[in-house]
Amino acid sequence: MEVEVSQSRIAKALNNVSKVAASTRAGLPILSNVLLRASENILSLTATNLEIAVVEYVNAKSISNGTLTVPAKLLADFVSNLPKDDVNLKANGDKLAIKCGTYKSTVNGILADDYPELPSINENEALGFKIGIEAFKDAVSQVIVAASSDTSRPALTGVYFNSYEGDIYIAATDGYRLADRKFVEGVDQQIKAIVPASTLRDVLGFINDSMDEVEILISDSLIRFRLGEIEVTSKLIDGSFPDYRKLIPETAECTLVLNKAELSRMTKMAALFAKQSGGSVVCEANQEKQNFAVCAVASELGENVSSIDTSVEKDAKVTLNSRYVLDALNAIADTEVKFSFSGKLAPIVLRNNKGNDYTHIIMPLKS
């Protein structure tokens, strides 16, 4: 194998794929390597940790085709420090010679014969759809915040792609909160797939300004994201996601329209006093005063009460985790938020004031 490629382009690609190669499994040192494959003026760079695989394609001048795996981090760090010129990569057995101007180096690698076979999807049998890059970023960022980090419940560590009334929704929950967002409209096929939240975070990290859309392909056990010249393939989580739509209250006893920035400020101030109580704050709607208040009491620090005037039809009061409230507010795109009570121990529902494409639920704490 021998290719010539621009330093800036291969440095960027190595930076992307080395993130996956960094999560090496014990006993499989080859997984810390990047697989280089030269063919027909394309250099592909591949990394996998057996759960997720990323491939990036780079235009290059192929002098001779071939493959080799080399330590991903070492190669990424070395190439990133080379001058912005053409880089010559030449494999000789299990060694890779690198030359760029007056800079020369040889890196010991491992022959590609031992590299794991990458997962593949049958495109004819899989469900495929496309979504704009900004819509993808917004939707995933709004939902992924509610995914659990508790690996004892694997299904809750993922984001649930599911079809409902002819559209695709994505949802995540950790048992204490739930985020649900309409993702793609007008998809006839049925889908139920749990995508690891870690995979989606990786995909978000690969997005750059030159990308216009994400092409998504889902099979029974795999999902593939294609973003320009990058392909990310991941295993789906094998498990059953809760029937979360039953958790969303159909009606509300009291719904307030609040300024998001002001509510966020009030919650942050109360949270300063709520550290001793695990971050719990009391949210109260007062019909007589026609206001909404957020308060916290700490025996050693003191107490804090902040309020905002708003139209209130019925008194309501609930105790919430302040961090969950702030996460929900950060996910909401509108400048105003609908804050709905459905009883003292019923979940709180937060939505954009305009439109119902996004729903965020927070379970109350026992006061």
Side-chain angles (χ1 to χ4, degrees), residues 55-231:
V55 182
E56 183 157 356
Y57 300 93
V58 178
N59 290 325
K61 179 183 177 182
S62 296
I63 299 172
S64 61
N65 296 338
T67 59
L68 183 66
T69 81
V70 290
K73 189 176 188 308
L74 173 61
L75 187 61
D77 290 345
F78 180 79
V79 171
S80 66
N81 285 291
L82 290 174
K84 295 188 181 302
D85 199 350
D86 286 342
V87 179
N88 180 277
L89 304 174
K90 184 176 181 179
N92 184 9
D94 61 356
K95 300 182 184 298
L96 181 70
I98 309 167
K99 182 179 179 181
C100 180
T102 59
Y103 294 83
K104 297 179 182 179
S105 180
T106 300
V107 178
N108 294 332
I110 302 176
L111 296 179
D113 298 346
D114 297 328
Y115 202 77
E117 184 177 350
L118 297 182
S120 61
I121 293 180
N122 187 330
E123 297 190 12
N124 295 325
E125 298 179 0
L127 167 65
F129 54 90
K130 297 178 181 180
I131 179 173
I133 204 76
E134 291 301 324
F136 176 86
K137 287 170 57 178
D138 291 345
V140 172
S141 298
Q142 285 182 313
V143 168
I144 203 171
V145 66
S148 175
S149 58
D150 183 2
T151 55
S152 67
R153 304 177 70 184
L156 300 190
T157 64
V159 173
Y160 184 44
F161 285 57
N162 64 101
S163 51
Y164 180 70
E165 296 182 346
D167 301 320
I168 293 179
Y169 287 76
I170 55 175
T173 180
D174 59 7
Y176 304 100
R177 50 186 171 167
L178 164 72
D180 174 56
R181 166 69 191 262
K182 183 184 287 187
F183 193 53
V184 178
E185 296 182 343
V187 177
D188 295 333
Q189 293 174 268
Q190 295 296 305
I191 177 176
K192 292 182 179 180
I194 307 175
V195 182
S198 57
T199 294
L200 290 168
R201 292 189 184 98
D202 286 337
V203 173
L204 289 174
F206 294 143
I207 292 174
N208 61 55
D209 294 339
S210 67
M211 298 172 179
D212 297 322
E213 64 180 13
V214 183
E215 180 183 332
I216 301 174
L217 205 63
I218 304 176
S219 69
D220 291 338
S221 60
L222 297 169
I223 185 168
R224 186 182 74 194
F225 301 88
R226 181 176 288 160
L227 311 93
E229 296 168 330
I230 301 175
E231 287 184 359

Side-chain angles (χ1 to χ4, degrees), residues 305-317:
V305 180
S306 304
S307 64
I308 183 174
D309 293 337
T310 187
S311 176
V312 180
E313 297 180 354
K314 183 179 180 180
D315 288 345
K317 185 177 181 180

Side-chain angles (χ1 to χ4, degrees), residues 141-147 174 177 179 260 264 267-268 321-333 350 358 360 362:
S141 298
Q142 285 182 313
V143 168
I144 203 171
V145 66
D174 59 7
R177 50 186 171 167
K260 186 183 77 167
S264 179
T267 306
K268 288 177 182 177
N321 183 307
S322 57
R323 181 170 66 86
Y324 292 172
V325 175
L326 291 172
D327 284 346
L329 294 175
N330 288 335
I332 289 174
L350 294 94
Y358 179 65
H360 199 112
I362 303 175

